[in-house]
Amino acid sequence: MANNEILISGAGIAGPALAYWLRTAGFEVTVVERAPAPRPGGQTVDLRGAGRTVIERMGLMERVRAHAVDQRGFALVDSSGRTTARLPADAFGGEGIVSDVEILRGDLARLLHEATLPDTEYLFDDTITGIEQAPGAGPDGGGPVAVTFEKAAPRRFALVVGADGPHSVVRTLAFGPERDFVRPLGLYTSWFTATDHDLDLDGWYLMHNAPGGLVASARPGRLPGEIKAGFSFRSPPLAYDRRDLAAQRELVARRFAHVGWEAPRLLRALRTAPDFFLDSMGQVRLDSWSRGRVVLLGDAGYCATPLTGLGTSLALVGAYVLASELAAAGGDHTRALRRYDAVMRPYVTRAQELPPGGAAGYAPSRRLGIRLRDLSMRSMTRWPMRAVLGAQFAKAGDIALPRYAPAAGADAGADAGAHGRPRP
């Protein structure tokens, strides 16, 4: 088996971005994805800092902007819909709470997927069921990875990459159970799409807090009349069946049954929304993102949670760095993965620092906390809050993103030095 065949689990943001840069460098890439096709829709994600730089180096920024969601900014509202604080999209250089480049997750995933075609193999409607690493005589002291799938025939790869989210199958198989690596924030969130022409957002991402750590939100989608809605709540660990969507809908509906603002209307939409999902928020922390020839990327290895607004940047930057270091290492995977960790670790550590107040700041339990948070929001563009928030938003660019040399060879599995790094 050639030493340049790489398997990526996950066709969201990180997986296709990595596939693009690996193919640019001459690797043979297979992507396996549980869904039957690239997942459409989804919520809005931010393009910030170094994440924007990666998209620009891929030549995709023009297409991303063409699919961007038009939002005026972020605003807090009380139970009657009165605005209590707002932050326009152009604040903090266009990289505040709402970025001036925001795109639906599904749209970005589709653009990245298309950028990898036709040279990338995709195994949709499938998943990894087993990973076995056997000792060998490879340049890094390890042999190829034997992988079994739910549907496809078993295969062997030089490297397996888990880019399959915070509940990563690859991480569980190669590193251990999820509970060992995920740090819960005591916060649950549900997202779904609502179509309601009577709810006029006027281009703003609106958020309403209610006592008890409850948060209802609505933001514009890309299509006319489309609303991306959310309900979040603080809670001790909950036991629920992740496959039972009806029970999850009911759980959320009970929590928000007495919340004002537009919550009743959004709850009606929640009951029939085809894209509803509920999940806990937690950060993924590991001392090492690799075990032999298995490595983690994006949320699978270092989920920062949506509270930071940096998940997309971490995925894109991580993909760029990992592919580049693999190409530079000339087949020495140990050296490549060590360099990947060294370049990314400081960036990830900073990105995982939560905004002031963390989960409690996002979802205050008491009315006094809500009023104080509204007050701090109104002060965001003034000293000293501007400096505090500016530092938080600036984390997206807090990495000297290497500009790697162009690829120079044809076989990534050749001797060290035979293959350069992906084209910038």
Side-chain angles (χ1 to χ4, degrees):
M1 185 203 73
N3 196 36
N4 70 339
E5 297 178 14
I6 296 180
L7 174 66
I8 302 169
S9 176
I13 304 299
L18 177 63
Y20 171 88
W21 289 111
L22 288 174
R23 286 299 303 152
T24 299
F27 289 89
E28 296 296 323
V29 183
T30 299
V31 180
V32 60
E33 166 59 46
R34 165 69 78 179
R39 298 177 189 267
Q43 291 295 313
T44 307
V45 297
D46 310 287
L47 275 185
R48 305 171 180 273
R52 292 190 188 187
T53 302
V54 173
I55 289 294
E56 289 167 352
R57 292 184 186 182
M58 297 174 79
L60 292 177
M61 183 55 78
E62 183 176 345
R63 297 191 66 195
V64 165
R65 289 188 180 277
H67 288 79
V69 175
D70 186 15
Q71 294 182 98
R72 296 177 61 187
F74 172 81
L76 297 172
V77 294
D78 62 17
S79 58
S80 64
R82 182 180 64 89
T83 299
T84 59
R86 64 175 51 182
L87 191 71
D90 59 3
F92 295 95
E95 298 196 29
I97 294 177
V98 169
S99 165
D100 63 358
V101 183
E102 299 218 358
I103 182 172
L104 296 182
R105 182 187 182 278
D107 286 343
L108 180 57
R110 176 175 54 81
L111 293 176
L112 292 169
H113 171 251
E114 291 172 354
T116 67
L117 300 177
D119 299 323
T120 301
E121 177 189 18
Y122 281 87
L123 303 177
F124 285 107
D125 196 25
D126 207 347
T127 188
I128 297 173
T129 58
I131 295 174
E132 182 178 351
Q133 301 196 66
D140 59 353
V145 185
V147 179
T148 55
F149 301 91
E150 187 174 82
K151 297 180 180 179
R155 291 168 61 177
R156 296 158 74 85
F157 296 89
L159 189 74
V160 175
V161 182
D164 44 356
H167 304 295
S168 170
V169 169
V170 170
R171 190 184 62 228
T172 296
L173 291 172
F175 291 74
E178 183 173 307
R179 64 176 178 272
D180 292 346
F181 308 109
V182 178
R183 298 184 183 180
L185 298 185
L187 188 64
Y188 289 79
T189 189
S190 64
W191 297 106
F192 57 96
T193 301
T195 302
D196 192 332
H197 295 280
D198 293 330
L199 179 52
D200 183 12
L201 303 178
D202 194 27
W204 289 86
Y205 172 14
L206 304 182
M207 192 173 89
H208 170 63
N209 289 88
L214 305 176
V215 183
S217 65
R219 63 195 309 175
R222 184 164 59 86
L223 301 177
E226 184 181 66
I227 294 170
K228 298 298 181 177
F231 288 108
S232 301
F233 58 91
R234 291 169 61 189
S235 172
L238 296 173
Y240 63 93
D241 187 345
R242 294 181 59 189
R243 298 166 297 182
D244 190 344
L245 293 182
Q248 294 174 35
R249 294 177 200 266
E250 186 59 33
L251 187 159
V252 175
R254 288 197 305 270
R255 292 267 177 168
F256 287 83
H258 304 292
V259 173
W261 183 52
E262 298 289 351
R265 183 181 299 182
L266 295 176
L267 285 174
R268 289 195 296 272
L270 171 148
R271 293 190 177 278
T272 58
D275 59 349
F276 166 86
F277 83 92
L278 171 70
D279 202 0
S280 59
M281 279 196 197
Q283 291 195 330
V284 177
R285 303 288 187 97
L286 290 93
D287 293 333
S288 174
W289 298 318
S290 62
R291 291 278 177 90
R293 289 184 174 228
V294 178
V295 61
L296 302 176
L297 171 67
D299 281 354
Y302 34 85
C303 176
T305 79
L307 294 186
T308 68
L310 296 175
T312 303
S313 292
L314 287 174
L316 293 170
V317 173
Y320 176 77
V321 172
L322 177 57
S324 301
E325 294 298 343
L326 285 168
D332 186 341
H333 294 81
T334 296
R335 178 160 68 93
L337 299 183
R338 186 168 58 245
R339 284 286 306 150
Y340 164 60
D341 194 298
V343 174
M344 286 296 296
R345 183 69 61 172
Y347 186 53
V348 168
T349 299
R350 286 273 291 151
Q352 289 190 321
E353 296 172 357
L354 295 175
Y362 170 72
S365 295
R366 300 178 182 275
R367 293 187 186 279
L368 176 60
I370 295 173
R371 288 197 294 269
L372 291 174
R373 203 280 316 282
D374 290 355
L375 177 62
S376 69
M377 265 287 297
R378 291 194 293 271
S379 304
M380 275 190 173
T381 58
R382 300 193 298 271
W383 188 90
M385 285 299 297
R386 181 176 181 84
V388 174
L389 272 298
Q392 176 68 29
F393 299 140
K395 291 177 183 177
D398 196 13
I399 182 173
L401 192 63
R403 185 174 276 280
Y404 294 100
D411 183 3
D415 292 340
H419 199 12
R421 306 189 185 197
R423 297 175 181 86

